[in-house]
């Protein structure tokens, strides 16, 4: 299997708890909190571990919460490389109200990152990457980081002949995509931003995706469509992958699980079609678990088998029509 490196520049500790009724101006007695390591690339590393693949989880962290994050990843048996920064890792809060069964998620800003710190990250990446590696950068940029940070990561990946996969949003995604990415996994809103339009209808999707690939140095585009699954687009391929209907508990982590599933498949040498299907299986499996929990391997395998059988049936139907 090829080497996989994940990069998280704005990680978090995700703290979740439950409460019976959220109301203002009163003391709310919450249950004992659960702490989990969070942030895009870290989630990808955690899912890869669940699937049975090793990855090197690189992230920028500092302070006592940074030490807590490190301990959580040690407990999860994730191989990690911490790039030290002065600021403390942020702590997000998620509260589940047992009376109305709603989840409230509070995201905090990350610490300020100074130029020597993010430049150190680029330097360390350059030292680690080698020919044929997969590098997954996922999640937001921290305050103080340049908007073209992922473009700089792209240049390093190209120099080291590593395959760069980017899952972020906004201008950071735009700049990264312009610089060159092997695989992009935007959702519809992110693809619209990449193409400079407000919305993309289902009827426009194929042509918009093809045009995007023509105009950008990006080889593979997998647009995730939530409950509708995903579409895989390259210059010579176009395939819809339908997501199985499941009993959905929480969509948190669906995107990260999907990215992890795709990298897992790629690193095992699977085809792009198999990769996209396995990604949809992982994304959908993540919706079957509660709260911030990511996907479970048994669900992934069952869903992937369903997708493989189902798409085979669709293919046969097309051939006989
Ligand atoms: N409601 C759902 N039912 C079944 N599968 C789902 C559902 N929502 C998401 N998925 C699965 O997860 C994948 C990724 O979901 P989505 O398109 O919502 O990504 P995203 O917007 O990047 O998510 P995130 O908010 O986690 O970043 C989908 O392609 C699909 O396989
Ligand atoms: Mg996403």
């Amino acid at each position: 299997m090829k080497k996989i490196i994940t990069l998280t520049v704005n990680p978090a500790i995700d703290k979740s708890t439950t409460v019976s009724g959220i109301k203002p101006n009163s003391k709310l007695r919450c249950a004992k909190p659960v702490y989990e390591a969070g942030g895009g690339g870290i989630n990808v590393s955690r899912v890869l571990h669940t699937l049975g693949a090793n990855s090197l989880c690189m992230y920028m962290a500092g302070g006592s919460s940074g030490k807590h994050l490190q301990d959580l990843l040690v407990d999860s048996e994730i191989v990690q490389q911490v790039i030290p920064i002065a600021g403390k890792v942020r702590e997000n809060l998620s509260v589940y109200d047992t009376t109305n069964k709603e989840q409230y998620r509070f995201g905090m800003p990350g610490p300020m990152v100074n130029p020597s710190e993010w430049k150190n990250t680029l330097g360390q990446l350059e030292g680690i990457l080698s020919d044929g590696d997969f590098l997954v950068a996922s999640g937001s940029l921290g305050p103080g980081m340049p908007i073209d940070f992922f473009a700089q990561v792209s240049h390093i990946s190209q120099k080291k002949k590593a395959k760069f996969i980017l899952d972020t949003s906004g201008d950071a995604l735009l700049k990264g995509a312009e610089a060159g990415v092997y695989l992009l996994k935007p959702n519809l809103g992110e693809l619209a931003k990449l193409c400079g339009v407000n919305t993309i209808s289902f009827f426009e999707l194929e042509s918009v995706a093809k045009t995007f690939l023509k105009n950008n140095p990006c080889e593979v585009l997998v647009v995730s469509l939530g409950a509708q699954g995903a579409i895989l687009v390259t210059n010579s391929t176009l395939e819809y992958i339908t997501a199985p209907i499941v009993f959905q508990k929480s969509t948190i982590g669906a995107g990260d699980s999907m990215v992890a599933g795709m990298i897992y498949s790629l690193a095992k040498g699977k085809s792009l079609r198999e990769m996209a299907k396995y990604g949809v299986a992982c994304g959908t499996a993540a919706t079957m678990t509660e709260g911030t929990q990511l996907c479970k391997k048994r669900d992934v395998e069952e869903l992937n088998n369903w997708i493989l059988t189902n798409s085979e049936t669709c293919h046969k139907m097309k051939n006989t029509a």
Side-chain angles (χ1 to χ4, degrees):
M1 228 169 142
K2 300 271 189 192
K3 197 163 94 211
I4 306 171
I5 295 118
T6 66
L7 176 65
T8 315
V9 294
N10 192 16
I13 291 191
D14 290 327
K15 179 176 177 177
S16 46
T17 186
T18 59
V19 72
S20 170
I22 292 186
K23 36 193 176 308
N25 308 319
S26 54
K27 200 177 257 185
L28 304 172
R29 305 240 171 245
C30 299
K32 191 171 174 229
V34 173
Y35 296 90
E36 281 169 307
I42 287 179
N43 287 339
V44 171
S45 275
R46 288 174 57 210
V47 175
L48 283 167
H49 183 260
T50 301
L51 298 175
N54 287 323
S55 65
L56 175 65
C57 182
M58 283 181 77
Y59 61 90
M60 298 202 287
S64 50
S65 49
K67 174 74 180 70
H68 187 182
L69 179 60
Q70 207 174 333
D71 293 343
L72 288 169
L73 287 168
V74 168
D75 291 346
S76 309
E77 299 172 349
I78 306 288
V79 183
Q80 48 183 314
Q81 175 148 348
V82 187
I83 299 142
I85 62 168
K88 277 168 88 172
V89 165
R90 67 200 164 120
E91 198 174 273
N92 295 328
L93 177 66
S94 152
V95 184
Y96 182 75
D97 185 343
T98 52
T99 57
N100 62 8
K101 299 188 176 12
E102 297 283 0
Q103 189 168 45
Y104 299 85
R105 297 172 71 190
F106 304 89
M108 311 295 161
M112 187 57 93
V113 179
N114 68 48
S116 66
E117 292 170 337
W118 60 258
K119 283 180 188 163
N120 181 25
T121 301
L122 293 175
Q124 296 217 21
L125 254 187
E126 186 153 3
I128 281 171
L129 287 180
S130 55
D131 197 345
D133 287 350
F134 290 99
L135 170 66
V136 191
S138 176
S140 54
L141 292 175
M145 294 185 71
I147 203 69
D148 71 345
F149 179 80
F150 291 126
Q152 298 191 46
V153 172
S154 161
H155 294 139
I156 293 170
S157 304
Q158 288 169 44
K159 192 166 136 195
K160 306 298 287 212
K161 298 197 173 76
K163 287 192 163 150
F164 181 38
I165 294 99
L166 180 61
D167 185 13
T168 184
S169 57
D171 288 338
L173 173 63
L174 204 63
K175 296 273 180 207
E178 280 168 6
V181 174
Y182 171 67
L183 166 69
L184 272 185
K185 190 229 68 75
N187 58 27
L188 261 190
E190 288 156 358
L191 181 66
K193 165 85 185 172
L194 282 169
C195 299
V197 295
N198 286 331
T199 53
I200 300 170
S201 78
F202 186 75
F203 304 104
E204 298 162 328
L205 179 55
E206 288 181 18
S207 65
V208 168
K210 285 268 180 201
T211 309
F212 172 79
L213 283 180
K214 229 174 256 159
N215 297 336
N216 288 275
C218 166
E219 268 183 58
V220 186
L221 185 64
V222 177
V223 185
S224 66
L225 306 168
Q228 268 77 48
I231 179 172
L232 162 71
V233 192
T234 68
N235 284 331
S236 57
T237 324
L238 195 141
E239 181 159 340
Y240 283 91
I241 298 111
T242 307
I245 297 165
V246 296
F247 180 68
Q248 186 191 304
K249 291 191 177 149
S250 154
T251 56
I252 299 174
D256 293 332
S257 294
M258 180 180 197
V259 170
M262 293 197 294
I263 306 308
Y264 177 76
S265 273
L266 283 176
K268 281 183 88 176
K270 302 281 184 187
S271 69
L272 291 179
R273 286 169 195 269
E274 287 169 306
M275 167 208 79
K277 286 173 186 164
Y278 202 74
V280 168
C282 289
T284 301
T287 71
M288 296 166 68
T289 58
E290 271 160 17
T292 52
Q293 277 181 47
L294 301 165
C295 60
K296 293 195 176 128
K297 173 112 177 165
R298 212 186 60 189
D299 294 334
V300 171
E301 295 306 331
E302 274 178 18
L303 294 175
N304 190 46
N305 285 338
W306 184 91
I307 293 168
L308 291 173
T309 317
N310 191 58
S311 59
E312 182 78 349
T313 315
C314 294
H315 188 66
K316 275 188 201 144
M317 281 165 64
K318 256 189 227 155
N319 285 347
T320 50

